[in-house]
Amino acid sequence: MQTDPTAPGGGASPEVLALAKVVARLRAEVADLEGLASVAGVLERARGVLMAQEGVSADAAYETLVRRADSRGTTLMEECWVTLGGIRPEPGAARPTIPDPVTGPVTASGRTTPEGAVPALGPDHRPGRDGPDSRTLPAGLAVALTDARSTDDAAEILHEALRLPLAVDGVMIYTLGGAGRLELIGHSGVDEALAAQWQDIPPLSGVAALEAITSGEPRWLDDPERDAERYRLIGSPERWPTRAWIPVPGADTVTCAIGFFRKSATPFGDEERALLRQAVRVCGGPLRVFEHRRAGPADLDVTAVQSILDAVSGAVILLAPLRSPSGEVEDYRIEAAAPESVDVAGRRGRELVGRRILETYPTVAGTPLWQGYLKALDTGITYEGEPFSYREVTAGVPETSVYSVRATRLAGRLVVSWIRQDTTAREVRRLATMQRLGNLGWADWNPATGTVDWSDQVYAIFDRAPGSGPVPLRELPRHVLPDDRPVLAEAVRRLLDEGAPIDRPFRIGTADGVRHLRLVAEAETDAYGATVEVHGFFQDCTTQRDAELALRESERAVLVQRGVLQAERAIAARLQHALLPIPEQSIELVGLCVDIAYMPSDTGVNVGGDWYSAIELPDRSALFVVGDVAGHGLDAVGAMAQLRFTAKGMIITGSALPDAMDRLNTLLLHTAATTATMIMARYSPAERRMAWVRAGHLPPLLVRGGEARFLPLLEGNLLGASFDSVYVQDTLDLEPGDHLLLYTDGLVEIPGENMDRALDRLAVAAAEAMGGEAPDALARLLDALHPTGQDDVCVLDIHLPADAE
């Protein structure tokens, strides 16, 4: 058979019992939260009172309630009851009543009052009526209790609220007084003679109210014969066959219980018991306020203590003991704290106020510190404990700290101060980590005594065994490379003799090679200017120095490469200008007006391979060529020149256009590792006929009569791609007013845009710009298209004037 370790005499240790009580109290507080919605009206009403009295906003009224509760050491709800308790009814005003759902508002004595005094608290149990409502009853009770002025008022309001819904015929309220005696502080539905007989109950066994208070659990009495054998019953067993004693949850410990008496022999059901518990929780706030008034003012002004602690340096707090009904200390609550009070979790100053020791630091239970608190509280002898370690897990990370604690009694409380002794060790660890991550270490020299102190990281930087000891400052130059020795020696001399600070790089030799170090130091001098101490640090800058050198080499290489590219661009540009002279105005060629536009790319440092040719042939015909060599730079310009002059030579010597294109394809396949697109056209002025052939190039665009259309996309692969390429010739008869555009892809190409859409844009813009006889038609087209400048642009506008014969 197992024994409950938390039960009295169960064999549990004192610290386990203490923690078990904390857990039980926390469970009770969780139960209190369930009834929070029931008392929301109390808070709203208290806020309304302050808003009316002081003329402030709702938020300001709430802050006032919180501030008053904090200064008086009460809960927010208790402060609400205090505020509402200060409102006195007008002389001759009727006492608030609890309404009867059928007959209207009545008091416990049966007197009817005007309607609308208090809202209904819940339905009754008569036939055809609904069961008790767990939402409306506590809420209505909370509102009604705001008019209570004493514990007797609270008992009568509670009786009236539960008389019909739960068939409660009597209510008695007991509080735990000195020496464990029970005192009747309120009653309703119980005659005065019986109340006087049970006004004061000694700490006897078999008292249900006392058991409910000491255990913190309700006592349900619904078997008169058995209950009479076990308990000392108030009145005869037959008078109230069903009874209940429910403890009132307290801010610290349970000191009060409420008894409910029913003439019916029907036991309280589960739902009724839950409603009774809620009603008791709602009554808790007013009862604690009334008890606070009965007890008189506190023996210590906590607000004054907090004001004193606000001006105190160091970690100091004020602890109030929380005692059980038997007088034993169960826990301590922090009532005031100095601003520099910091615990292991980093909570500081007033963040600690209101916390309980065993809740916040559970492992303190049963320790010498706990016993020291008790001894100081009982005897008044100051407790000064030995340093101890405290371990707490915060956010999943264990934190261990070492403390020295001192506790002194003050007006039934404890003033506790402490020193955290592990702070220095923690700072040392942080400093070591910083030195390791920063690859630096500190050093101190005392020229007068000759003492030198190095951190561990300095030995690692110098690749020196700690057993060899540190190096005196004057001897430091002998450990650096010869080239750096004179400069460092002079800097050290000025530091020691004149107190001049030093920030000097130097190099040393180690087993791993040369290291680049840096010394930063300053001197402390006496009244006569003599150096008495030198403090500084060494830093290993080898990695940074290597990175610097690599960066310089990279920059040098970039500069060289940039120079080469700029020279190449200059040469290519000169060659391109020599090969492609751009006329400043339109040229006349065998009856045609030809406008030429060439715009090099504005990105990169290389020139492109776009080119054109417009010449008159010996037989008085004209040759027009537009091409685009893949790539940039001298290679592209060289391939462009080769194609341009070869094409011109073959056509002059009588080659047909397809044959010339085929030979150019063969030429690129054998002589250049590149490709090119090209359009070649030959115009015969007698017939006004333009014959043309293409090699992978965009189709020519014809603008006639204000409309633009592309010529058929003839067969013909780009040059230099395949030996099997076939080139087909087509012809076009020009009419007066026609414009024929030969162009490279830079005119219309936009990154990410489909080429079909780009050509549509070109056709629309060309029809608008070249629909008439304006001499600047090509310029207007370029303005409309706004080429991106990411590629070279070359355009030939071949125009047959409208007045041509």
Side-chain angles (χ1 to χ4, degrees), residues 35 38-39 134 137-139 141-142 145 154 158 161-162 166 246-249 258 260 272-287:
S38 302
V39 296
S134 61
L137 191 148
L141 176 60
L145 283 171
L158 185 60
L162 302 178
L166 299 184
I246 302 177
V248 179
I258 302 179
F260 300 95
E272 292 176 322
R273 291 185 179 189
L275 280 173
L276 288 177
R277 287 193 182 96
Q278 290 188 25
V280 169
R281 284 197 291 271
V282 171
C283 292
L287 292 180

PDB file of all heavy atoms in Angstrom, residues 35 38-39 134 137-139 141-142 145 154 158 161-162 166 246-249 258 260 272-287:
ATOM      1  N   GLY A  35     -13.667  31.892 -12.918  1.00  0.00           N
ATOM      2  CA  GLY A  35     -14.763  32.786 -12.561  1.00  0.00           C
ATOM      3  C   GLY A  35     -14.478  34.245 -12.846  1.00  0.00           C
ATOM      4  O   GLY A  35     -15.190  35.120 -12.382  1.00  0.00           O
ATOM      5  N   SER A  38     -17.137  36.385 -14.335  1.00  0.00           N
ATOM      6  CA  SER A  38     -18.253  36.711 -13.464  1.00  0.00           C
ATOM      7  C   SER A  38     -18.060  38.038 -12.753  1.00  0.00           C
ATOM      8  O   SER A  38     -19.018  38.684 -12.348  1.00  0.00           O
ATOM      9  CB  SER A  38     -18.449  35.598 -12.427  1.00  0.00           C
ATOM     10  OG  SER A  38     -18.669  34.369 -13.056  1.00  0.00           O
ATOM     11  N   VAL A  39     -16.820  38.449 -12.541  1.00  0.00           N
ATOM     12  CA  VAL A  39     -16.567  39.675 -11.779  1.00  0.00           C
ATOM     13  C   VAL A  39     -16.124  40.813 -12.689  1.00  0.00           C
ATOM     14  O   VAL A  39     -15.669  41.847 -12.208  1.00  0.00           O
ATOM     15  CB  VAL A  39     -15.491  39.415 -10.692  1.00  0.00           C
ATOM     16  CG1 VAL A  39     -15.988  38.419  -9.693  1.00  0.00           C
ATOM     17  CG2 VAL A  39     -14.193  38.940 -11.314  1.00  0.00           C
ATOM     18  N   SER A 134     -25.048  29.008 -15.027  1.00  0.00           N
ATOM     19  CA  SER A 134     -23.704  29.231 -14.515  1.00  0.00           C
ATOM     20  C   SER A 134     -23.113  30.541 -15.011  1.00  0.00           C
ATOM     21  O   SER A 134     -22.059  30.942 -14.562  1.00  0.00           O
ATOM     22  CB  SER A 134     -22.778  28.069 -14.922  1.00  0.00           C
ATOM     23  OG  SER A 134     -22.703  27.968 -16.322  1.00  0.00           O
ATOM     24  N   LEU A 137     -25.982  33.826 -13.072  1.00  0.00           N
ATOM     25  CA  LEU A 137     -26.041  33.896 -11.616  1.00  0.00           C
ATOM     26  C   LEU A 137     -24.785  34.534 -11.026  1.00  0.00           C
ATOM     27  O   LEU A 137     -24.877  35.495 -10.262  1.00  0.00           O
ATOM     28  CB  LEU A 137     -26.274  32.500 -11.029  1.00  0.00           C
ATOM     29  CG  LEU A 137     -26.620  32.450  -9.526  1.00  0.00           C
ATOM     30  CD1 LEU A 137     -27.535  31.280  -9.228  1.00  0.00           C
ATOM     31  CD2 LEU A 137     -25.377  32.373  -8.658  1.00  0.00           C
ATOM     32  N   PRO A 138     -23.553  34.062 -11.350  1.00  0.00           N
ATOM     33  CA  PRO A 138     -22.366  34.716 -10.772  1.00  0.00           C
ATOM     34  C   PRO A 138     -22.236  36.170 -11.194  1.00  0.00           C
ATOM     35  O   PRO A 138     -21.821  37.026 -10.408  1.00  0.00           O
ATOM     36  CB  PRO A 138     -21.208  33.871 -11.295  1.00  0.00           C
ATOM     37  CG  PRO A 138     -21.816  32.560 -11.643  1.00  0.00           C
ATOM     38  CD  PRO A 138     -23.185  32.869 -12.126  1.00  0.00           C
ATOM     39  N   ALA A 139     -22.603  36.464 -12.459  1.00  0.00           N
ATOM     40  CA  ALA A 139     -22.475  37.840 -12.919  1.00  0.00           C
ATOM     41  C   ALA A 139     -23.423  38.764 -12.162  1.00  0.00           C
ATOM     42  O   ALA A 139     -23.048  39.854 -11.718  1.00  0.00           O
ATOM     43  CB  ALA A 139     -22.735  37.907 -14.420  1.00  0.00           C
ATOM     44  N   LEU A 141     -24.688  38.203  -9.212  1.00  0.00           N
ATOM     45  CA  LEU A 141     -24.246  38.255  -7.823  1.00  0.00           C
ATOM     46  C   LEU A 141     -23.111  39.258  -7.662  1.00  0.00           C
ATOM     47  O   LEU A 141     -23.064  40.019  -6.690  1.00  0.00           O
ATOM     48  CB  LEU A 141     -23.787  36.864  -7.379  1.00  0.00           C
ATOM     49  CG  LEU A 141     -23.204  36.765  -5.965  1.00  0.00           C
ATOM     50  CD1 LEU A 141     -24.234  37.191  -4.927  1.00  0.00           C
ATOM     51  CD2 LEU A 141     -22.724  35.343  -5.686  1.00  0.00           C
ATOM     52  N   ALA A 142     -22.173  39.265  -8.638  1.00  0.00           N
ATOM     53  CA  ALA A 142     -21.054  40.201  -8.554  1.00  0.00           C
ATOM     54  C   ALA A 142     -21.543  41.637  -8.561  1.00  0.00           C
ATOM     55  O   ALA A 142     -21.045  42.485  -7.816  1.00  0.00           O
ATOM     56  CB  ALA A 142     -20.092  39.960  -9.712  1.00  0.00           C
ATOM     57  N   LEU A 145     -23.230  42.484  -5.165  1.00  0.00           N
ATOM     58  CA  LEU A 145     -22.287  42.605  -4.048  1.00  0.00           C
ATOM     59  C   LEU A 145     -21.598  43.957  -4.016  1.00  0.00           C
ATOM     60  O   LEU A 145     -20.985  44.323  -3.002  1.00  0.00           O
ATOM     61  CB  LEU A 145     -21.236  41.499  -4.127  1.00  0.00           C
ATOM     62  CG  LEU A 145     -21.701  40.108  -3.662  1.00  0.00           C
ATOM     63  CD1 LEU A 145     -20.643  39.064  -3.985  1.00  0.00           C
ATOM     64  CD2 LEU A 145     -22.013  40.107  -2.168  1.00  0.00           C
ATOM     65  N   ALA A 154     -23.134  40.963   2.767  1.00  0.00           N
ATOM     66  CA  ALA A 154     -22.706  39.966   1.791  1.00  0.00           C
ATOM     67  C   ALA A 154     -23.445  38.659   1.989  1.00  0.00           C
ATOM     68  O   ALA A 154     -23.866  38.005   1.032  1.00  0.00           O
ATOM     69  CB  ALA A 154     -21.190  39.750   1.880  1.00  0.00           C
ATOM     70  N   LEU A 158     -25.967  37.049  -0.754  1.00  0.00           N
ATOM     71  CA  LEU A 158     -25.696  35.694  -1.220  1.00  0.00           C
ATOM     72  C   LEU A 158     -26.895  34.800  -0.982  1.00  0.00           C
ATOM     73  O   LEU A 158     -27.266  33.983  -1.839  1.00  0.00           O
ATOM     74  CB  LEU A 158     -24.457  35.161  -0.497  1.00  0.00           C
ATOM     75  CG  LEU A 158     -23.940  33.791  -0.921  1.00  0.00           C
ATOM     76  CD1 LEU A 158     -23.556  33.787  -2.399  1.00  0.00           C
ATOM     77  CD2 LEU A 158     -22.732  33.385  -0.082  1.00  0.00           C
ATOM     78  N   ALA A 161     -29.606  35.609  -3.468  1.00  0.00           N
ATOM     79  CA  ALA A 161     -29.264  35.187  -4.823  1.00  0.00           C
ATOM     80  C   ALA A 161     -29.473  33.700  -5.028  1.00  0.00           C
ATOM     81  O   ALA A 161     -29.813  33.256  -6.124  1.00  0.00           O
ATOM     82  CB  ALA A 161     -27.811  35.557  -5.124  1.00  0.00           C
ATOM     83  N   LEU A 162     -29.280  32.885  -3.969  1.00  0.00           N
ATOM     84  CA  LEU A 162     -29.320  31.428  -4.110  1.00  0.00           C
ATOM     85  C   LEU A 162     -30.601  30.813  -3.562  1.00  0.00           C
ATOM     86  O   LEU A 162     -30.795  29.598  -3.690  1.00  0.00           O
ATOM     87  CB  LEU A 162     -28.110  30.812  -3.395  1.00  0.00           C
ATOM     88  CG  LEU A 162     -26.727  31.288  -3.858  1.00  0.00           C
ATOM     89  CD1 LEU A 162     -25.638  30.626  -3.039  1.00  0.00           C
ATOM     90  CD2 LEU A 162     -26.524  31.002  -5.338  1.00  0.00           C
ATOM     91  N   LEU A 166     -31.162  27.717  -6.120  1.00  0.00           N
ATOM     92  CA  LEU A 166     -30.569  26.507  -5.542  1.00  0.00           C
ATOM     93  C   LEU A 166     -31.269  26.069  -4.264  1.00  0.00           C
ATOM     94  O   LEU A 166     -30.769  25.178  -3.570  1.00  0.00           O
ATOM     95  CB  LEU A 166     -29.070  26.744  -5.241  1.00  0.00           C
ATOM     96  CG  LEU A 166     -28.183  27.081  -6.433  1.00  0.00           C
ATOM     97  CD1 LEU A 166     -26.726  27.196  -5.988  1.00  0.00           C
ATOM     98  CD2 LEU A 166     -28.303  26.024  -7.508  1.00  0.00           C
ATOM     99  N   ILE A 246     -17.859  25.572   2.100  1.00  0.00           N
ATOM    100  CA  ILE A 246     -16.923  25.787   0.989  1.00  0.00           C
ATOM    101  C   ILE A 246     -15.901  26.841   1.402  1.00  0.00           C
ATOM    102  O   ILE A 246     -16.285  27.946   1.840  1.00  0.00           O
ATOM    103  CB  ILE A 246     -17.667  26.242  -0.280  1.00  0.00           C
ATOM    104  CG1 ILE A 246     -18.727  25.188  -0.661  1.00  0.00           C
ATOM    105  CG2 ILE A 246     -16.703  26.470  -1.433  1.00  0.00           C
ATOM    106  CD1 ILE A 246     -19.568  25.576  -1.848  1.00  0.00           C
ATOM    107  N   PRO A 247     -14.596  26.529   1.275  1.00  0.00           N
ATOM    108  CA  PRO A 247     -13.564  27.516   1.639  1.00  0.00           C
ATOM    109  C   PRO A 247     -13.524  28.666   0.631  1.00  0.00           C
ATOM    110  O   PRO A 247     -13.719  28.473  -0.568  1.00  0.00           O
ATOM    111  CB  PRO A 247     -12.262  26.716   1.616  1.00  0.00           C
ATOM    112  CG  PRO A 247     -12.537  25.598   0.656  1.00  0.00           C
ATOM    113  CD  PRO A 247     -13.999  25.264   0.808  1.00  0.00           C
ATOM    114  N   VAL A 248     -13.258  29.863   1.143  1.00  0.00           N
ATOM    115  CA  VAL A 248     -13.136  31.045   0.283  1.00  0.00           C
ATOM    116  C   VAL A 248     -11.671  31.186  -0.118  1.00  0.00           C
ATOM    117  O   VAL A 248     -10.813  31.366   0.757  1.00  0.00           O
ATOM    118  CB  VAL A 248     -13.611  32.312   1.007  1.00  0.00           C
ATOM    119  CG1 VAL A 248     -13.462  33.535   0.099  1.00  0.00           C
ATOM    120  CG2 VAL A 248     -15.055  32.145   1.464  1.00  0.00           C
ATOM    121  N   PRO A 249     -11.346  31.098  -1.409  1.00  0.00           N
ATOM    122  CA  PRO A 249      -9.939  31.237  -1.822  1.00  0.00           C
ATOM    123  C   PRO A 249      -9.377  32.581  -1.368  1.00  0.00           C
ATOM    124  O   PRO A 249     -10.017  33.621  -1.531  1.00  0.00           O
ATOM    125  CB  PRO A 249      -9.992  31.144  -3.347  1.00  0.00           C
ATOM    126  CG  PRO A 249     -11.292  30.472  -3.643  1.00  0.00           C
ATOM    127  CD  PRO A 249     -12.229  30.893  -2.557  1.00  0.00           C
ATOM    128  N   ILE A 258     -17.739  29.521   3.853  1.00  0.00           N
ATOM    129  CA  ILE A 258     -19.157  29.877   3.794  1.00  0.00           C
ATOM    130  C   ILE A 258     -19.971  28.595   3.851  1.00  0.00           C
ATOM    131  O   ILE A 258     -19.692  27.638   3.120  1.00  0.00           O
ATOM    132  CB  ILE A 258     -19.484  30.667   2.521  1.00  0.00           C
ATOM    133  CG1 ILE A 258     -18.638  31.937   2.438  1.00  0.00           C
ATOM    134  CG2 ILE A 258     -20.964  31.008   2.462  1.00  0.00           C
ATOM    135  CD1 ILE A 258     -18.877  32.759   1.192  1.00  0.00           C
ATOM    136  N   PHE A 260     -23.739  26.718   3.474  1.00  0.00           N
ATOM    137  CA  PHE A 260     -25.030  26.815   2.800  1.00  0.00           C
ATOM    138  C   PHE A 260     -25.936  25.723   3.374  1.00  0.00           C
ATOM    139  O   PHE A 260     -25.546  24.536   3.440  1.00  0.00           O
ATOM    140  CB  PHE A 260     -24.856  26.640   1.289  1.00  0.00           C
ATOM    141  CG  PHE A 260     -23.970  27.674   0.666  1.00  0.00           C
ATOM    142  CD1 PHE A 260     -22.616  27.432   0.457  1.00  0.00           C
ATOM    143  CD2 PHE A 260     -24.488  28.910   0.289  1.00  0.00           C
ATOM    144  CE1 PHE A 260     -21.802  28.385  -0.114  1.00  0.00           C
ATOM    145  CE2 PHE A 260     -23.666  29.866  -0.287  1.00  0.00           C
ATOM    146  CZ  PHE A 260     -22.319  29.617  -0.487  1.00  0.00           C
ATOM    147  N   GLU A 272     -25.040  22.162  -9.292  1.00  0.00           N
ATOM    148  CA  GLU A 272     -25.284  23.063  -8.162  1.00  0.00           C
ATOM    149  C   GLU A 272     -24.003  23.289  -7.365  1.00  0.00           C
ATOM    150  O   GLU A 272     -23.732  24.394  -6.895  1.00  0.00           O
ATOM    151  CB  GLU A 272     -26.378  22.477  -7.268  1.00  0.00           C
ATOM    152  CG  GLU A 272     -27.744  22.456  -7.936  1.00  0.00           C
ATOM    153  CD  GLU A 272     -28.796  21.772  -7.069  1.00  0.00           C
ATOM    154  OE1 GLU A 272     -28.462  20.764  -6.417  1.00  0.00           O
ATOM    155  OE2 GLU A 272     -29.930  22.262  -7.036  1.00  0.00           O
ATOM    156  N   ARG A 273     -23.226  22.239  -7.187  1.00  0.00           N
ATOM    157  CA  ARG A 273     -21.960  22.408  -6.469  1.00  0.00           C
ATOM    158  C   ARG A 273     -21.024  23.366  -7.210  1.00  0.00           C
ATOM    159  O   ARG A 273     -20.342  24.189  -6.594  1.00  0.00           O
ATOM    160  CB  ARG A 273     -21.283  21.044  -6.298  1.00  0.00           C
ATOM    161  CG  ARG A 273     -22.019  20.109  -5.345  1.00  0.00           C
ATOM    162  CD  ARG A 273     -21.234  18.819  -5.111  1.00  0.00           C
ATOM    163  NE  ARG A 273     -21.934  17.937  -4.168  1.00  0.00           N
ATOM    164  CZ  ARG A 273     -21.410  16.830  -3.655  1.00  0.00           C
ATOM    165  NH1 ARG A 273     -20.182  16.453  -4.022  1.00  0.00           N
ATOM    166  NH2 ARG A 273     -22.103  16.100  -2.800  1.00  0.00           N
ATOM    167  N   ALA A 274     -21.007  23.244  -8.544  1.00  0.00           N
ATOM    168  CA  ALA A 274     -20.155  24.145  -9.318  1.00  0.00           C
ATOM    169  C   ALA A 274     -20.616  25.596  -9.165  1.00  0.00           C
ATOM    170  O   ALA A 274     -19.794  26.525  -9.035  1.00  0.00           O
ATOM    171  CB  ALA A 274     -20.164  23.739 -10.790  1.00  0.00           C
ATOM    172  N   LEU A 275     -21.953  25.811  -9.134  1.00  0.00           N
ATOM    173  CA  LEU A 275     -22.468  27.163  -8.957  1.00  0.00           C
ATOM    174  C   LEU A 275     -22.147  27.707  -7.574  1.00  0.00           C
ATOM    175  O   LEU A 275     -21.822  28.893  -7.415  1.00  0.00           O
ATOM    176  CB  LEU A 275     -23.971  27.175  -9.193  1.00  0.00           C
ATOM    177  CG  LEU A 275     -24.422  27.196 -10.662  1.00  0.00           C
ATOM    178  CD1 LEU A 275     -25.916  27.030 -10.756  1.00  0.00           C
ATOM    179  CD2 LEU A 275     -23.987  28.487 -11.314  1.00  0.00           C
ATOM    180  N   LEU A 276     -22.219  26.849  -6.551  1.00  0.00           N
ATOM    181  CA  LEU A 276     -21.869  27.292  -5.204  1.00  0.00           C
ATOM    182  C   LEU A 276     -20.402  27.709  -5.136  1.00  0.00           C
ATOM    183  O   LEU A 276     -20.055  28.714  -4.499  1.00  0.00           O
ATOM    184  CB  LEU A 276     -22.161  26.182  -4.195  1.00  0.00           C
ATOM    185  CG  LEU A 276     -23.646  25.907  -3.910  1.00  0.00           C
ATOM    186  CD1 LEU A 276     -23.785  24.731  -2.955  1.00  0.00           C
ATOM    187  CD2 LEU A 276     -24.324  27.136  -3.324  1.00  0.00           C
ATOM    188  N   ARG A 277     -19.510  26.921  -5.780  1.00  0.00           N
ATOM    189  CA  ARG A 277     -18.095  27.286  -5.772  1.00  0.00           C
ATOM    190  C   ARG A 277     -17.884  28.648  -6.465  1.00  0.00           C
ATOM    191  O   ARG A 277     -17.101  29.481  -5.999  1.00  0.00           O
ATOM    192  CB  ARG A 277     -17.279  26.214  -6.489  1.00  0.00           C
ATOM    193  CG  ARG A 277     -17.121  24.908  -5.708  1.00  0.00           C
ATOM    194  CD  ARG A 277     -16.047  24.063  -6.367  1.00  0.00           C
ATOM    195  NE  ARG A 277     -15.871  22.780  -5.714  1.00  0.00           N
ATOM    196  CZ  ARG A 277     -16.444  21.632  -6.098  1.00  0.00           C
ATOM    197  NH1 ARG A 277     -17.247  21.647  -7.154  1.00  0.00           N
ATOM    198  NH2 ARG A 277     -16.218  20.514  -5.446  1.00  0.00           N
ATOM    199  N   GLN A 278     -18.583  28.838  -7.597  1.00  0.00           N
ATOM    200  CA  GLN A 278     -18.440  30.122  -8.292  1.00  0.00           C
ATOM    201  C   GLN A 278     -18.944  31.276  -7.434  1.00  0.00           C
ATOM    202  O   GLN A 278     -18.328  32.351  -7.380  1.00  0.00           O
ATOM    203  CB  GLN A 278     -19.190  30.092  -9.623  1.00  0.00           C
ATOM    204  CG  GLN A 278     -18.558  29.183 -10.670  1.00  0.00           C
ATOM    205  CD  GLN A 278     -19.232  29.330 -12.032  1.00  0.00           C
ATOM    206  OE1 GLN A 278     -19.807  30.354 -12.329  1.00  0.00           O
ATOM    207  NE2 GLN A 278     -19.135  28.303 -12.838  1.00  0.00           N
ATOM    208  N   ALA A 279     -20.063  31.054  -6.756  1.00  0.00           N
ATOM    209  CA  ALA A 279     -20.595  32.107  -5.898  1.00  0.00           C
ATOM    210  C   ALA A 279     -19.616  32.451  -4.784  1.00  0.00           C
ATOM    211  O   ALA A 279     -19.429  33.621  -4.438  1.00  0.00           O
ATOM    212  CB  ALA A 279     -21.933  31.653  -5.311  1.00  0.00           C
ATOM    213  N   VAL A 280     -18.965  31.442  -4.222  1.00  0.00           N
ATOM    214  CA  VAL A 280     -17.988  31.682  -3.152  1.00  0.00           C
ATOM    215  C   VAL A 280     -16.795  32.465  -3.692  1.00  0.00           C
ATOM    216  O   VAL A 280     -16.273  33.372  -3.036  1.00  0.00           O
ATOM    217  CB  VAL A 280     -17.544  30.340  -2.528  1.00  0.00           C
ATOM    218  CG1 VAL A 280     -16.342  30.543  -1.614  1.00  0.00           C
ATOM    219  CG2 VAL A 280     -18.692  29.725  -1.743  1.00  0.00           C
ATOM    220  N   ARG A 281     -16.330  32.114  -4.909  1.00  0.00           N
ATOM    221  CA  ARG A 281     -15.212  32.853  -5.490  1.00  0.00           C
ATOM    222  C   ARG A 281     -15.583  34.314  -5.727  1.00  0.00           C
ATOM    223  O   ARG A 281     -14.756  35.211  -5.543  1.00  0.00           O
ATOM    224  CB  ARG A 281     -14.770  32.202  -6.792  1.00  0.00           C
ATOM    225  CG  ARG A 281     -13.951  30.933  -6.598  1.00  0.00           C
ATOM    226  CD  ARG A 281     -13.199  30.566  -7.865  1.00  0.00           C
ATOM    227  NE  ARG A 281     -14.099  30.135  -8.926  1.00  0.00           N
ATOM    228  CZ  ARG A 281     -14.498  28.885  -9.118  1.00  0.00           C
ATOM    229  NH1 ARG A 281     -14.066  27.935  -8.304  1.00  0.00           N
ATOM    230  NH2 ARG A 281     -15.302  28.565 -10.101  1.00  0.00           N
ATOM    231  N   VAL A 282     -16.839  34.555  -6.156  1.00  0.00           N
ATOM    232  CA  VAL A 282     -17.274  35.932  -6.358  1.00  0.00           C
ATOM    233  C   VAL A 282     -17.280  36.705  -5.043  1.00  0.00           C
ATOM    234  O   VAL A 282     -16.935  37.893  -4.996  1.00  0.00           O
ATOM    235  CB  VAL A 282     -18.672  35.952  -7.018  1.00  0.00           C
ATOM    236  CG1 VAL A 282     -19.233  37.359  -7.042  1.00  0.00           C
ATOM    237  CG2 VAL A 282     -18.598  35.393  -8.423  1.00  0.00           C
ATOM    238  N   CYS A 283     -17.617  36.029  -3.942  1.00  0.00           N
ATOM    239  CA  CYS A 283     -17.648  36.681  -2.636  1.00  0.00           C
ATOM    240  C   CYS A 283     -16.265  36.904  -2.051  1.00  0.00           C
ATOM    241  O   CYS A 283     -16.118  37.645  -1.071  1.00  0.00           O
ATOM    242  CB  CYS A 283     -18.466  35.838  -1.647  1.00  0.00           C
ATOM    243  SG  CYS A 283     -20.228  35.761  -2.030  1.00  0.00           S
ATOM    244  N   GLY A 284     -15.246  36.250  -2.605  1.00  0.00           N
ATOM    245  CA  GLY A 284     -13.911  36.320  -2.024  1.00  0.00           C
ATOM    246  C   GLY A 284     -13.390  37.734  -1.930  1.00  0.00           C
ATOM    247  O   GLY A 284     -12.818  38.140  -0.904  1.00  0.00           O
ATOM    248  N   GLY A 285     -13.552  38.527  -3.018  1.00  0.00           N
ATOM    249  CA  GLY A 285     -13.032  39.890  -3.012  1.00  0.00           C
ATOM    250  C   GLY A 285     -13.639  40.752  -1.923  1.00  0.00           C
ATOM    251  O   GLY A 285     -12.921  41.344  -1.105  1.00  0.00           O
ATOM    252  N   PRO A 286     -14.984  40.862  -1.859  1.00  0.00           N
ATOM    253  CA  PRO A 286     -15.577  41.690  -0.797  1.00  0.00           C
ATOM    254  C   PRO A 286     -15.197  41.231   0.602  1.00  0.00           C
ATOM    255  O   PRO A 286     -14.927  42.052   1.468  1.00  0.00           O
ATOM    256  CB  PRO A 286     -17.081  41.543  -1.051  1.00  0.00           C
ATOM    257  CG  PRO A 286     -17.205  41.154  -2.479  1.00  0.00           C
ATOM    258  CD  PRO A 286     -15.998  40.351  -2.791  1.00  0.00           C
ATOM    259  N   LEU A 287     -15.181  39.904   0.820  1.00  0.00           N
ATOM    260  CA  LEU A 287     -14.861  39.407   2.162  1.00  0.00           C
ATOM    261  C   LEU A 287     -13.444  39.782   2.566  1.00  0.00           C
ATOM    262  O   LEU A 287     -13.188  40.138   3.726  1.00  0.00           O
ATOM    263  CB  LEU A 287     -15.056  37.897   2.217  1.00  0.00           C
ATOM    264  CG  LEU A 287     -16.507  37.409   2.088  1.00  0.00           C
ATOM    265  CD1 LEU A 287     -16.571  35.882   2.156  1.00  0.00           C
ATOM    266  CD2 LEU A 287     -17.375  38.021   3.179  1.00  0.00           C
TER     267      LEU A 287
END
